[in-house]
């Protein structure tokens, strides 16, 4: 029994030359292919004046190449053992005064100033890290990041692609995203269970003039059943009930303030709402239950009556106005969603 536990522990931990174990549970998969490291650095387009942010530097294989071409590198590492190894590796070298190593959780740390981010990250933080970077100010030039391949392909997916989803739409609203190269699992030590891809992310300047809370509310609704028509989705009782509740609340607030409601503006403060991008597309987090019967007649509406019917007709009218009733979220672009959101906003319909 004890021997089995020992073998299991050895299987879970792969060792460095210095005896430090890699921990797969922390997403520690170190790049071991020097040609791949060189390619990643080249594709980042780093200038001699650039400050580079590296996330999860590990033992410093990528860090060394970044230091060779940049002004300086700020490396954020969670594992104190790796921090010690990194400092030991560059101590007494010409790079030591151009490397700053910060121990901490990247998701909880305040990001320093940087021009470019280059990272081989733990895959479990892919989504929150992506949106943390995109909400950072001042805006950086680009990020070149190693992701799990399926996550990467969702980032770059286009309307009509099988992997096109909320993640695709939200990321591409804020940035231009391009796939750089596919990376096989054998390029890492220890090898992960899946292949990876390197993606380039370039933040849009300026950010679109939209409330990201409202945007996320609309996108969650539309992608709950991305292959259903928007007309079917917006006929659901729970959807109509929620939108009508929001509508009446906003009307009451406007009346209380004599119609002087301050226009909600886009800000980095509500960008955080987009960070919740794990592929759980259920409506529980939005407050709307999924319904198998998508086409709901007026008589089935909660409470019935002409008031409910009138609100439903208003929603359907908005969809028809923009020719959206028969369209599907899986085929719509960011421009389409921005236009749809503007039509709802003009009618006083809110999603947050």
């Amino acid at each position: 029994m004890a021997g089995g536990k020992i073998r299991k522990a050895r299987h879970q931990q792969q060792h460095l030359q210095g005896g430090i174990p890699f921990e797969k549970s922390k997403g520690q998969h170190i790049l071991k292919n020097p040609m791949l490291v060189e390619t990643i650095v080249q594709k980042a387009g780093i200038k001699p004046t650039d400050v580079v942010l590296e996330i999860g530097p590990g033992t410093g294989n990528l860090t060394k190449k970044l230091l060779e071409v940049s002004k300086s590198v700020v490396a954020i590492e969670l594992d104190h053992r790796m921090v010690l190894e990194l400092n030991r590796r560059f101590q007494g070298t010409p790079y030591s005064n151009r490397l700053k190593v910060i121990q901490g959780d990247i998701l909880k740390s305040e990001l320093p100033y940087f021009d470019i981010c280059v990272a081989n990250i733990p895959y479990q933080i892919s989504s929150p890290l992506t949106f943390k970077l995109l909400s950072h100010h001042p805006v950086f030039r680009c990020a070149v990041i190693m992701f799990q391949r399926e996550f990467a392909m969702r980032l770059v997916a286009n309307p009509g692609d099988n992997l096109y989803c909320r993640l695709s739409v939200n990321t591409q609203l804020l940035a231009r995203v391009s796939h750089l190269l596919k990376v096989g699992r054998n390029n890492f030590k220890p090898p992960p269970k899946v292949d990876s891809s390197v993606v380039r992310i370039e933040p849009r300047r300026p950010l679109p003039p939209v409330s990201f809370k409202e945007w996320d509310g609309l996108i969650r609704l539309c992608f709950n059943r991305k292959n259903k028509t928007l007309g079917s989705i917006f006929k659901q009782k729970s959807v109509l009930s929620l939108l009508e509740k929001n509508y009446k609340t906003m009307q009451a607030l406007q009346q209380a303030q004599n119609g002087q409601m301050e226009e909600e503006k886009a800000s980095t403060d509500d960008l955080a709402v987009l960070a919740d991008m794990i592929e759980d597309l259920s409506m529980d987090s939005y407050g709307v239950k999924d319904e198998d019967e998508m086409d709901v007649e007026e008589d089935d509406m909660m409470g019935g009556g002409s008031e409910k019917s009138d609100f439903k007709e208003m929603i359907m009218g908005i969809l028809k106005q923009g020719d959206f009733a028969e369209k599907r979220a899986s085929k719509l672009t960011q421009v389409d969603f921005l236009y749809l959101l503007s039509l709802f906003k003009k009618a006083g319909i809110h999603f947050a």
Side-chain angles (χ1 to χ4, degrees), residues 24-312:
K24 290 185 178 181
S25 63
K26 293 182 178 178
Q28 292 178 344
H29 300 280
I30 309 300
L31 276 172
K32 66 177 185 179
N33 184 339
M35 294 300 294
L36 178 59
V37 171
E38 188 75 38
T39 300
I40 292 172
V41 173
Q42 288 177 353
K43 289 186 175 293
I46 299 169
K47 300 175 183 178
T49 55
D50 283 339
V51 175
V52 178
L53 172 66
E54 186 184 8
I55 301 164
T59 57
N61 293 342
L62 181 57
T63 313
K64 183 176 183 296
K65 289 295 181 183
L66 294 174
L67 285 166
E68 290 175 1
V69 297
S70 66
K71 178 182 178 181
S72 62
V73 173
V74 180
I76 301 180
E77 172 61 59
L78 178 63
D79 192 333
H80 72 279
R81 304 167 309 154
M82 298 296 180
V83 171
L84 292 173
E85 178 71 18
L86 205 60
N87 284 324
R88 188 182 302 117
R89 178 170 182 172
F90 293 103
Q91 187 176 12
T93 71
Y95 303 124
S96 60
N97 63 341
R98 296 196 286 112
L99 172 64
K100 181 179 181 181
V101 183
I102 300 172
Q103 182 181 345
D105 184 338
I106 185 64
L107 298 181
K108 299 176 182 178
S109 302
E110 183 176 347
L111 296 181
Y113 171 85
F114 64 96
D115 300 295
I116 289 182
C117 175
V118 182
N120 170 31
I121 64 170
Y123 293 154
Q124 61 264 34
I125 68 169
S126 295
S127 180
L129 175 61
T130 298
F131 290 97
K132 182 180 179 74
L133 289 172
L134 289 174
S135 64
H136 178 66
H137 275 264
V139 177
F140 56 95
R141 192 161 76 249
C142 79
V144 174
I145 303 178
M146 183 88 69
F147 292 114
Q148 180 177 331
R149 179 161 176 77
E150 183 173 334
F151 183 89
M153 300 317 292
R154 288 178 185 273
L155 283 180
V156 303
N158 294 314
D161 294 346
N162 287 336
L163 292 178
Y164 189 62
C165 60
R166 277 176 50 219
L167 176 63
S168 320
V169 176
N170 283 350
T171 306
Q172 294 171 32
L173 174 74
L174 305 174
R176 287 176 289 275
V177 189
S178 55
H179 182 269
L180 296 181
L181 67 151
K182 182 178 178 180
V183 180
R185 62 196 77 181
N186 291 330
N187 289 285
F188 300 88
K189 180 182 179 182
K193 294 181 180 180
V194 295
D195 290 333
S196 305
S197 281
V198 178
V199 171
R200 183 182 180 93
I201 300 173
E202 299 178 65
R204 298 189 187 278
R205 306 184 196 186
L207 288 173
V210 61
S211 162
F212 298 109
K213 291 178 182 177
E214 293 285 342
W215 169 270
D216 189 59
L218 172 65
I219 298 303
R220 282 175 181 269
L221 261 182
C222 293
F223 276 90
N224 182 40
R225 287 289 181 268
K226 69 177 184 179
N227 292 314
K228 290 285 187 179
T229 65
L230 297 188
S232 294
I233 291 172
F234 279 87
K235 284 178 183 176
Q236 292 182 82
K237 289 187 292 186
S238 50
V239 172
L240 288 167
S241 178
L242 178 65
L243 294 182
E244 185 171 17
K245 180 181 177 181
N246 289 349
Y247 178 71
K248 290 181 176 179
T249 299
M250 294 303 292
Q251 279 192 324
L253 287 172
Q254 286 177 332
Q255 291 175 0
Q257 298 182 19
N258 297 318
Q260 299 300 314
M261 280 278 293
E262 183 179 349
E263 188 73 14
E264 190 168 11
K265 298 178 181 178
S267 73
T268 56
D269 293 338
D270 67 355
L271 262 177
V273 74
L274 299 186
D276 182 22
M277 288 306 307
I278 305 303
E279 290 304 296
D280 173 16
L281 301 184
S282 72
M283 299 310 296
D284 294 342
S285 57
Y286 186 68
V288 178
K289 294 181 180 178
D290 183 28
E291 297 180 12
D292 292 330
E293 293 152 2
M294 304 291 285
D295 296 314
V296 181
E297 298 298 329
E298 290 175 8
D299 291 341
D300 294 330
M301 292 288 294
M302 288 178 163
S306 61
E307 185 179 350
K308 295 287 184 182
S309 300
D310 290 345
F311 185 78
K312 176 183 174 181

